[in-house]
Amino acid sequence: MINEFPFNINQYFSNNKFIEVFNKFIKYSTSVGIDRITPENFEHNLLKNSELISQKILNNIFCFTPYKEKLLLKGKNKLPRVISIPTVKDKIVIKILQECLSDIYDLKIKQVQTIINEIKTFKDIFDSYIKIDIKRFYSSINHDILIKKLKQKIKNKTIISLIYNAITNVTQSEVQNDELAEKNSIGVPEGLSFSNILANIYLNNLDNKYGKLKSIVYYRYVDDILIFCNNKSIDRIKSKLENDLNKFYCLEINKDKYASGYVNDGFSYLGYDFLNNSITVRKTSLMKFEKSLEKMFVEFKRTKYHRNYLIWKLNLKITGCINNNKKYGFLFFFSQINNPKLLFHLDWLIKKLYSRYNLIYDSQLTKKFSRSFHEIYFNLSKTNYIPNFTNYTIEKMKKVLTYTMKDNEIVKMSENEIKDKFKKFIFKSISELEKDQQQIS
Protein backbone atom coordinates (compact mmCIF):
# COMPACT_ATOMS: atom_id res chain seq x y z
CA MET A 1 0.00 0.00 0.00
CA ILE A 2 1.29 3.46 -0.93
CA ASN A 3 1.12 6.02 1.86
CA GLU A 4 -0.31 9.43 1.05
CA PHE A 5 2.08 12.31 1.56
CA PRO A 6 0.77 14.93 4.05
CA PHE A 7 0.96 17.89 1.71
CA ASN A 8 0.63 21.54 2.69
CA ILE A 9 0.43 23.57 -0.53
CA ASN A 10 0.94 26.90 1.27
CA GLN A 11 4.33 25.63 2.44
CA TYR A 12 5.56 25.46 -1.13
CA PHE A 13 3.71 28.24 -2.93
CA SER A 14 4.01 31.20 -0.60
CA ASN A 15 5.45 34.59 -1.63
CA ASN A 16 8.56 33.95 0.43
CA LYS A 17 9.13 30.58 -1.22
CA PHE A 18 8.98 32.12 -4.71
CA ILE A 19 11.52 34.77 -3.74
CA GLU A 20 13.79 32.17 -2.13
CA VAL A 21 13.74 29.90 -5.21
CA PHE A 22 14.28 32.83 -7.57
CA ASN A 23 17.34 34.06 -5.64
CA LYS A 24 18.84 30.59 -5.24
CA PHE A 25 18.24 28.99 -8.64
CA ILE A 26 16.93 31.43 -11.26
CA LYS A 27 18.50 34.83 -10.66
CA TYR A 28 21.77 34.14 -12.47
CA SER A 29 20.36 32.07 -15.31
CA THR A 30 21.25 33.29 -18.79
CA SER A 31 18.52 31.47 -20.73
CA VAL A 32 15.42 33.52 -21.57
CA GLY A 33 11.91 32.23 -22.32
CA ILE A 34 9.68 33.10 -25.23
CA ASP A 35 8.47 36.30 -23.50
CA ARG A 36 12.13 37.53 -23.48
CA ILE A 37 11.88 38.65 -19.86
CA THR A 38 15.30 38.24 -18.24
CA PRO A 39 15.78 37.36 -14.55
CA GLU A 40 17.07 40.92 -14.09
CA ASN A 41 13.83 42.38 -15.48
CA PHE A 42 11.76 39.99 -13.39
CA GLU A 43 13.65 40.95 -10.23
CA HIS A 44 12.67 44.62 -10.59
CA ASN A 45 9.14 43.62 -9.51
CA LEU A 46 10.03 40.44 -7.64
CA LEU A 47 7.66 40.89 -4.71
CA LYS A 48 4.72 41.86 -6.91
CA ASN A 49 5.42 39.05 -9.38
CA SER A 50 5.73 36.50 -6.57
CA GLU A 51 2.47 37.57 -4.98
CA LEU A 52 0.66 37.35 -8.31
CA ILE A 53 1.97 33.87 -9.11
CA SER A 54 1.17 32.63 -5.60
CA GLN A 55 -2.40 33.93 -5.80
CA LYS A 56 -2.99 32.37 -9.21
CA ILE A 57 -1.71 28.97 -8.10
CA LEU A 58 -3.68 28.92 -4.87
CA ASN A 59 -6.80 29.97 -6.84
CA ASN A 60 -6.13 27.32 -9.53
CA ILE A 61 -5.91 29.85 -12.37
CA PHE A 62 -2.18 29.75 -13.08
CA CYS A 63 -1.22 29.19 -16.74
CA PHE A 64 2.17 28.28 -18.18
CA THR A 65 3.50 30.40 -21.03
CA PRO A 66 4.57 28.35 -24.09
CA TYR A 67 8.11 27.06 -23.77
CA LYS A 68 10.71 28.36 -26.20
CA GLU A 69 12.09 25.71 -28.49
CA LYS A 70 15.84 25.15 -28.69
CA LEU A 71 17.23 22.52 -31.06
CA LEU A 72 20.49 20.72 -30.29
CA LEU A 73 22.04 19.02 -33.29
CA LYS A 74 23.10 15.40 -32.69
CA GLY A 75 24.93 14.73 -35.93
CA LYS A 76 24.30 13.70 -39.50
CA ASN A 77 21.07 11.79 -40.21
CA LYS A 78 19.89 12.22 -36.60
CA LEU A 79 16.88 14.16 -35.41
CA PRO A 80 17.82 17.17 -33.27
CA ARG A 81 17.20 17.08 -29.54
CA VAL A 82 14.39 19.46 -28.58
CA ILE A 83 14.99 21.49 -25.41
CA SER A 84 12.11 23.43 -23.85
CA ILE A 85 13.02 26.74 -22.20
CA PRO A 86 10.43 28.13 -19.74
CA THR A 87 9.90 31.77 -18.85
CA VAL A 88 11.27 33.02 -15.53
CA LYS A 89 7.93 32.71 -13.74
CA ASP A 90 7.47 29.17 -15.04
CA LYS A 91 11.02 28.20 -14.06
CA ILE A 92 10.22 29.16 -10.48
CA VAL A 93 7.00 27.12 -10.41
CA ILE A 94 8.64 24.08 -12.00
CA LYS A 95 11.60 24.27 -9.62
CA ILE A 96 9.20 24.30 -6.66
CA LEU A 97 7.37 21.31 -8.16
CA GLN A 98 10.74 19.55 -8.35
CA GLU A 99 11.28 20.22 -4.63
CA CYS A 100 7.77 18.90 -3.90
CA LEU A 101 8.47 15.68 -5.77
CA SER A 102 11.86 15.27 -4.07
CA ASP A 103 10.19 15.60 -0.66
CA ILE A 104 7.37 13.22 -1.53
CA TYR A 105 9.38 10.47 -3.26
CA ASP A 106 12.34 8.92 -1.52
CA LEU A 107 14.13 7.97 -4.73
CA LYS A 108 17.62 6.59 -4.22
CA ILE A 109 19.29 7.84 -7.40
CA LYS A 110 22.93 6.79 -7.59
CA GLN A 111 25.52 9.17 -8.98
CA VAL A 112 27.49 8.07 -12.05
CA GLN A 113 30.70 7.79 -10.01
CA THR A 114 28.96 5.50 -7.47
CA ILE A 115 27.65 3.27 -10.25
CA ILE A 116 31.05 3.01 -11.92
CA ASN A 117 32.71 2.23 -8.59
CA GLU A 118 30.24 -0.63 -7.99
CA ILE A 119 30.72 -1.94 -11.52
CA LYS A 120 34.41 -2.46 -10.71
CA THR A 121 33.31 -5.17 -8.26
CA PHE A 122 30.33 -6.77 -9.98
CA LYS A 123 31.94 -7.11 -13.41
CA ASP A 124 34.18 -9.83 -11.97
CA ILE A 125 31.29 -11.83 -10.47
CA PHE A 126 29.21 -12.39 -13.63
CA ASP A 127 30.48 -13.60 -16.98
CA SER A 128 28.14 -11.55 -19.21
CA TYR A 129 26.39 -8.23 -19.60
CA ILE A 130 23.35 -6.71 -21.32
CA LYS A 131 23.24 -3.05 -22.32
CA ILE A 132 19.91 -1.51 -23.28
CA ASP A 133 19.08 2.02 -24.39
CA ILE A 134 15.45 3.14 -24.07
CA LYS A 135 14.33 4.61 -27.38
CA ARG A 136 13.38 8.31 -27.20
CA PHE A 137 12.84 7.95 -23.44
CA TYR A 138 11.70 11.41 -22.36
CA SER A 139 9.59 12.02 -25.45
CA SER A 140 7.85 8.62 -25.10
CA ILE A 141 6.66 8.86 -21.48
CA ASN A 142 2.91 8.19 -21.40
CA HIS A 143 1.01 10.96 -19.61
CA ASP A 144 -1.84 8.74 -18.39
CA ILE A 145 0.57 6.24 -16.84
CA LEU A 146 2.67 8.99 -15.24
CA ILE A 147 -0.28 10.88 -13.76
CA LYS A 148 -1.80 7.65 -12.45
CA LYS A 149 1.47 6.89 -10.66
CA LEU A 150 1.62 10.41 -9.20
CA LYS A 151 -1.98 10.23 -7.97
CA GLN A 152 -1.17 7.11 -5.96
CA LYS A 153 0.88 9.24 -3.59
CA ILE A 154 -0.16 12.85 -4.25
CA LYS A 155 -3.76 13.63 -3.39
CA ASN A 156 -3.49 17.39 -3.82
CA LYS A 157 -5.34 18.24 -7.05
CA THR A 158 -3.52 21.55 -7.53
CA ILE A 159 -0.12 19.84 -7.65
CA ILE A 160 -1.33 17.16 -10.05
CA SER A 161 -2.89 19.84 -12.25
CA LEU A 162 0.29 21.94 -12.29
CA ILE A 163 2.43 18.95 -13.24
CA TYR A 164 0.00 17.89 -15.96
CA ASN A 165 -0.20 21.42 -17.39
CA ALA A 166 3.59 21.72 -17.31
CA ILE A 167 4.23 18.50 -19.25
CA THR A 168 1.45 19.12 -21.79
CA ASN A 169 2.41 22.75 -22.33
CA VAL A 170 3.29 23.88 -25.85
CA THR A 171 6.92 24.15 -26.99
CA GLN A 172 7.30 26.47 -29.96
CA SER A 173 9.90 28.46 -31.84
CA GLU A 174 9.97 32.23 -31.48
CA VAL A 175 8.70 32.67 -35.04
CA GLN A 176 5.92 30.10 -34.79
CA ASN A 177 2.29 31.21 -34.93
CA ASP A 178 0.53 30.56 -31.61
CA GLU A 179 -2.52 29.22 -33.43
CA LEU A 180 -0.46 26.46 -35.06
CA ALA A 181 1.10 25.27 -31.82
CA GLU A 182 -0.32 22.07 -30.34
CA LYS A 183 -0.36 20.80 -26.78
CA ASN A 184 2.19 18.14 -25.96
CA SER A 185 0.23 14.86 -25.95
CA ILE A 186 3.10 12.52 -25.05
CA GLY A 187 6.45 12.74 -23.32
CA VAL A 188 8.06 14.96 -20.69
CA PRO A 189 9.76 18.03 -22.20
CA GLU A 190 13.53 18.07 -21.79
CA GLY A 191 15.08 21.14 -20.23
CA LEU A 192 12.65 21.47 -17.32
CA SER A 193 14.18 21.14 -13.86
CA PHE A 194 11.72 18.43 -12.81
CA SER A 195 11.96 16.30 -15.98
CA ASN A 196 14.57 13.97 -14.52
CA ILE A 197 12.70 13.20 -11.30
CA LEU A 198 9.44 12.61 -13.23
CA ALA A 199 11.29 10.15 -15.47
CA ASN A 200 12.64 8.34 -12.40
CA ILE A 201 9.20 8.19 -10.79
CA TYR A 202 7.88 6.76 -14.06
CA LEU A 203 10.34 3.83 -13.99
CA ASN A 204 10.66 3.44 -10.23
CA ASN A 205 8.67 0.18 -10.13
CA LEU A 206 10.80 -1.28 -12.92
CA ASP A 207 13.99 -0.32 -11.06
CA ASN A 208 12.69 -1.90 -7.84
CA LYS A 209 11.66 -5.10 -9.61
CA TYR A 210 14.94 -5.75 -11.37
CA GLY A 211 17.07 -4.24 -8.63
CA LYS A 212 15.82 -6.86 -6.15
CA LEU A 213 16.63 -9.87 -8.35
CA LYS A 214 19.55 -11.79 -6.87
CA SER A 215 20.42 -13.58 -10.11
CA ILE A 216 21.49 -10.32 -11.78
CA VAL A 217 22.91 -6.86 -11.02
CA TYR A 218 20.83 -4.06 -12.54
CA TYR A 219 21.67 -0.40 -13.18
CA ARG A 220 19.68 2.32 -14.90
CA TYR A 221 20.87 5.87 -15.43
CA VAL A 222 18.23 7.92 -17.31
CA ASP A 223 17.73 5.86 -20.50
CA ASP A 224 20.80 3.59 -20.22
CA ILE A 225 20.35 0.17 -18.60
CA LEU A 226 23.21 -2.19 -17.75
CA ILE A 227 22.68 -5.72 -16.42
CA PHE A 228 25.29 -8.23 -15.28
CA CYS A 229 24.13 -11.84 -15.59
CA ASN A 230 25.17 -15.33 -16.65
CA ASN A 231 25.51 -15.89 -20.40
CA LYS A 232 22.74 -18.48 -20.63
CA SER A 233 20.26 -15.94 -19.19
CA ILE A 234 20.86 -13.11 -21.69
CA ASP A 235 18.01 -13.83 -24.12
CA ARG A 236 15.49 -14.51 -21.35
CA ILE A 237 16.33 -11.35 -19.39
CA LYS A 238 16.34 -9.17 -22.50
CA SER A 239 12.97 -10.55 -23.63
CA LYS A 240 11.43 -10.06 -20.16
CA LEU A 241 12.73 -6.50 -19.77
CA GLU A 242 11.65 -5.54 -23.29
CA ASN A 243 8.18 -6.92 -22.61
CA ASP A 244 7.88 -5.05 -19.28
CA LEU A 245 8.96 -1.75 -20.86
CA ASN A 246 6.44 -2.14 -23.64
CA LYS A 247 3.52 -3.54 -21.65
CA PHE A 248 3.65 -1.41 -18.51
CA TYR A 249 5.42 1.76 -19.67
CA CYS A 250 4.73 2.04 -23.43
CA LEU A 251 8.48 2.24 -24.04
CA GLU A 252 10.70 0.52 -26.60
CA ILE A 253 14.33 -0.47 -26.56
CA ASN A 254 16.64 1.05 -29.14
CA LYS A 255 17.69 -2.02 -31.11
CA ASP A 256 20.48 -0.11 -32.85
CA LYS A 257 22.16 0.51 -29.50
CA TYR A 258 21.50 -2.88 -27.91
CA ALA A 259 24.63 -4.78 -26.88
CA SER A 260 25.42 -7.97 -24.98
CA GLY A 261 28.36 -10.29 -24.58
CA TYR A 262 31.08 -11.55 -22.29
CA VAL A 263 32.40 -9.12 -19.69
CA ASN A 264 36.00 -10.18 -20.43
CA ASP A 265 35.60 -9.00 -24.03
CA GLY A 266 35.00 -5.46 -22.76
CA PHE A 267 31.98 -3.16 -22.62
CA SER A 268 31.10 0.50 -22.25
CA TYR A 269 28.64 2.32 -19.99
CA LEU A 270 27.96 5.99 -19.22
CA GLY A 271 30.94 7.17 -21.24
CA TYR A 272 33.37 4.70 -19.62
CA ASP A 273 35.16 1.78 -21.33
CA PHE A 274 35.86 -1.38 -19.32
CA LEU A 275 38.36 -3.99 -20.52
CA ASN A 276 39.93 -6.41 -18.04
CA ASN A 277 41.31 -4.16 -15.29
CA SER A 278 41.44 -1.04 -17.45
CA ILE A 279 38.82 1.66 -16.90
CA THR A 280 39.06 4.62 -19.23
CA VAL A 281 37.00 7.17 -21.16
CA ARG A 282 35.07 5.79 -24.13
CA LYS A 283 36.63 6.82 -27.43
CA THR A 284 33.57 8.72 -28.70
CA SER A 285 33.21 10.57 -25.39
CA LEU A 286 36.87 11.55 -25.49
CA MET A 287 36.57 12.78 -29.07
CA LYS A 288 33.60 14.99 -28.13
CA PHE A 289 35.56 16.48 -25.26
CA GLU A 290 38.64 17.08 -27.39
CA LYS A 291 36.47 18.89 -29.95
CA SER A 292 35.05 21.08 -27.20
CA LEU A 293 38.61 22.01 -26.15
CA GLU A 294 39.52 23.02 -29.68
CA LYS A 295 36.28 24.96 -30.01
CA MET A 296 37.49 27.29 -27.23
CA PHE A 297 40.58 28.22 -29.28
CA VAL A 298 38.48 28.68 -32.42
CA GLU A 299 36.12 31.04 -30.59
CA PHE A 300 39.06 32.94 -29.16
CA LYS A 301 40.54 33.51 -32.61
CA ARG A 302 37.16 34.44 -34.06
CA THR A 303 35.98 36.82 -31.34
CA LYS A 304 39.34 38.17 -30.17
CA TYR A 305 38.25 38.35 -26.54
CA HIS A 306 41.02 38.83 -23.99
CA ARG A 307 43.64 36.06 -23.69
CA ASN A 308 43.20 35.99 -19.91
CA TYR A 309 39.58 34.94 -20.46
CA LEU A 310 40.68 32.04 -22.67
CA ILE A 311 43.16 30.87 -20.02
CA TRP A 312 40.57 31.11 -17.27
CA LYS A 313 37.94 29.19 -19.28
CA LEU A 314 40.51 26.61 -20.32
CA ASN A 315 41.71 26.08 -16.75
CA LEU A 316 38.13 25.65 -15.56
CA LYS A 317 37.59 23.06 -18.30
CA ILE A 318 40.74 21.24 -17.20
CA THR A 319 40.20 21.22 -13.43
CA GLY A 320 36.43 21.42 -13.14
CA CYS A 321 35.13 23.15 -10.03
CA ILE A 322 33.05 22.93 -6.89
CA ASN A 323 30.12 25.25 -6.29
CA ASN A 324 27.54 24.99 -3.51
CA ASN A 325 29.09 21.63 -2.60
CA LYS A 326 28.43 20.20 -6.08
CA LYS A 327 31.19 19.01 -8.40
CA TYR A 328 31.29 19.95 -12.07
CA GLY A 329 33.52 19.08 -14.99
CA PHE A 330 35.00 16.35 -17.16
CA LEU A 331 37.48 15.00 -14.60
CA PHE A 332 34.93 14.85 -11.79
CA PHE A 333 32.62 12.86 -14.10
CA PHE A 334 35.46 10.52 -15.06
CA SER A 335 37.07 10.35 -11.63
CA GLN A 336 36.87 6.52 -11.67
CA ILE A 337 39.29 5.97 -14.56
CA ASN A 338 42.65 4.28 -13.95
CA ASN A 339 44.38 5.35 -17.17
CA PRO A 340 47.10 7.97 -16.50
CA LYS A 341 48.16 7.88 -20.17
CA LEU A 342 44.85 9.55 -21.06
CA LEU A 343 45.59 12.46 -18.72
CA PHE A 344 49.05 13.03 -20.18
CA HIS A 345 47.56 12.81 -23.66
CA LEU A 346 45.14 15.63 -22.80
CA ASP A 347 47.99 17.72 -21.37
CA TRP A 348 49.86 17.18 -24.64
CA LEU A 349 46.74 18.15 -26.61
CA ILE A 350 46.47 21.49 -24.81
CA LYS A 351 50.05 22.34 -25.78
CA LYS A 352 49.35 21.28 -29.35
CA LEU A 353 46.26 23.51 -29.53
CA TYR A 354 48.26 26.50 -28.30
CA SER A 355 50.76 25.86 -31.08
CA ARG A 356 48.11 25.21 -33.74
CA TYR A 357 46.45 28.56 -33.07
CA ASN A 358 49.73 30.48 -32.81
CA LEU A 359 49.55 31.13 -29.09
CA ILE A 360 52.34 30.87 -26.54
CA TYR A 361 51.87 28.09 -24.00
CA ASP A 362 52.70 29.19 -20.47
CA SER A 363 53.06 26.27 -18.05
CA GLN A 364 52.78 28.65 -15.09
CA LEU A 365 49.36 29.91 -16.18
CA THR A 366 47.81 26.85 -17.83
CA LYS A 367 46.78 24.01 -15.54
CA LYS A 368 47.15 20.28 -16.22
CA PHE A 369 44.75 17.35 -16.35
CA SER A 370 47.28 15.05 -14.69
CA ARG A 371 47.77 17.36 -11.70
CA SER A 372 44.01 18.04 -11.44
CA PHE A 373 43.18 14.33 -11.34
CA HIS A 374 45.75 13.80 -8.58
CA GLU A 375 44.19 16.64 -6.56
CA ILE A 376 40.68 15.20 -7.03
CA TYR A 377 41.81 11.77 -5.89
CA PHE A 378 44.22 12.59 -3.05
CA ASN A 379 43.78 16.19 -1.90
CA LEU A 380 40.29 17.44 -2.73
CA SER A 381 39.44 18.76 0.73
CA LYS A 382 42.59 20.90 0.94
CA THR A 383 43.40 21.75 -2.68
CA ASN A 384 43.71 25.27 -4.00
CA TYR A 385 44.38 23.96 -7.49
CA ILE A 386 40.72 23.19 -8.19
CA PRO A 387 38.46 26.21 -7.57
CA ASN A 388 35.74 25.96 -4.95
CA PHE A 389 33.52 28.98 -5.55
CA THR A 390 31.29 28.27 -2.55
CA ASN A 391 33.32 30.33 -0.09
CA TYR A 392 34.99 32.89 -2.33
CA THR A 393 35.63 36.18 -0.62
CA ILE A 394 34.80 39.51 -2.24
CA GLU A 395 38.50 39.99 -2.98
CA LYS A 396 38.71 36.65 -4.76
CA MET A 397 35.57 37.43 -6.75
CA LYS A 398 36.98 40.82 -7.73
CA LYS A 399 40.27 39.21 -8.74
CA VAL A 400 38.54 36.70 -11.06
CA LEU A 401 36.34 39.35 -12.67
CA THR A 402 39.22 41.77 -13.15
CA TYR A 403 41.47 39.07 -14.61
CA THR A 404 38.91 37.67 -17.05
CA MET A 405 37.04 40.80 -18.12
CA LYS A 406 39.56 43.62 -17.86
CA ASP A 407 36.68 45.80 -16.74
CA ASN A 408 37.86 48.98 -15.02
CA GLU A 409 34.37 49.58 -13.57
CA ILE A 410 34.68 46.53 -11.29
CA VAL A 411 36.81 48.43 -8.76
CA LYS A 412 34.00 50.99 -8.40
CA MET A 413 31.28 48.40 -7.71
CA SER A 414 29.71 47.75 -4.34
CA GLU A 415 30.08 44.33 -2.66
CA ASN A 416 26.55 43.31 -3.68
CA GLU A 417 27.17 44.33 -7.29
CA ILE A 418 30.39 42.31 -7.34
CA LYS A 419 28.62 39.28 -5.83
CA ASP A 420 25.85 39.47 -8.42
CA LYS A 421 28.25 39.86 -11.33
CA PHE A 422 30.48 37.05 -10.09
CA LYS A 423 27.63 34.61 -9.46
CA LYS A 424 26.17 35.29 -12.89
CA PHE A 425 29.60 34.73 -14.43
CA ILE A 426 30.07 31.45 -12.55
CA PHE A 427 26.51 30.28 -13.34
CA LYS A 428 27.23 30.68 -17.05
CA SER A 429 30.64 29.01 -16.75
CA ILE A 430 29.17 26.00 -14.93
CA SER A 431 26.42 25.69 -17.53
CA GLU A 432 29.13 25.29 -20.15
CA LEU A 433 30.81 22.55 -18.07
CA GLU A 434 27.48 20.74 -17.77
CA LYS A 435 27.13 20.67 -21.55
CA ASP A 436 30.19 18.39 -21.67
CA GLN A 437 28.52 15.92 -19.32
CA GLN A 438 25.21 16.02 -21.22
CA GLN A 439 27.00 14.97 -24.41
CA ILE A 440 28.83 12.04 -22.87
CA SER A 441 26.22 9.27 -23.30
Side-chain angles (χ1 to χ4, degrees), residues 115-301:
I115 294 173
I116 300 303
N117 194 44
E118 291 182 6
I119 286 175
K120 292 178 186 178
T121 301
F122 288 116
K123 73 181 181 65
D124 296 326
I125 297 175
F126 296 87
D127 63 8
S128 299
Y129 73 91
I130 304 170
K131 198 172 76 163
I132 287 174
D133 177 89
I134 301 173
K135 192 175 184 180
R136 296 190 293 269
F137 178 36
Y138 280 99
S139 60
S140 298
I141 290 174
N142 183 286
H143 290 172
D144 290 338
I145 295 173
L146 175 61
I147 295 301
K148 184 178 179 181
K149 287 179 179 293
L150 293 172
K151 283 183 175 179
Q152 289 178 331
K153 201 158 188 176
I154 305 172
K155 303 304 178 183
N156 187 285
K157 292 181 180 179
T158 300
I159 298 302
I160 295 294
S161 177
L162 283 170
I163 293 172
Y164 179 76
N165 290 338
I167 63 175
T168 58
N169 189 35
V170 172
T171 297
Q172 64 183 54
S173 67
E174 291 184 278
V175 296
Q176 187 175 345
N177 190 321
D178 289 354
E179 295 177 1
L180 300 177
E182 295 181 358
K183 285 246 178 191
N184 183 40
S185 60
I186 186 170
V188 171
E190 291 191 63
L192 310 184
S193 60
F194 73 171
S195 296
N196 192 41
I197 191 169
L198 285 176
N200 283 318
I201 291 168
Y202 191 74
L203 286 184
N204 190 38
N205 289 344
L206 182 85
D207 296 339
N208 288 336
K209 176 180 178 178
Y210 284 87
K212 289 176 181 177
L213 296 178
K214 295 185 178 179
S215 58
I216 67 170
V217 172
Y218 165 95
Y219 294 103
R220 180 184 66 82
Y221 189 81
V222 191
D223 56 357
D224 290 321
I225 295 173
L226 177 68
I227 295 173
F228 290 118
C229 60
N230 294 317
N231 187 261
K232 62 183 180 180
S233 305
I234 286 178
D235 290 340
R236 177 178 57 82
I237 294 168
K238 182 209 170 187
S239 177
K240 177 64 176 170
L241 182 57
E242 186 174 12
N243 182 66
D244 284 349
L245 284 168
N246 187 263
K247 182 178 179 180
F248 300 112
Y249 305 94
C250 296
L251 297 172
E252 299 178 41
I253 69 169
N254 188 336
K255 294 180 180 178
D256 293 335
K257 292 187 176 181
Y258 172 77
S260 64
Y262 289 105
V263 170
N264 287 341
D265 292 337
F267 63 95
S268 63
Y269 189 56
L270 302 181
Y272 281 79
D273 266 347
F274 299 83
L275 180 60
N276 298 323
N277 293 322
S278 172
I279 304 172
T280 190
V281 180
R282 190 178 62 192
K283 188 175 181 179
T284 53
S285 301
L286 181 60
M287 288 174 63
K288 287 178 182 177
F289 184 66
E290 289 178 347
K291 285 181 180 178
S292 73
L293 288 172
E294 182 161 17
K295 185 180 177 183
M296 297 176 71
F297 287 85
V298 173
E299 288 178 349
F300 171 73
K301 282 293 184 179

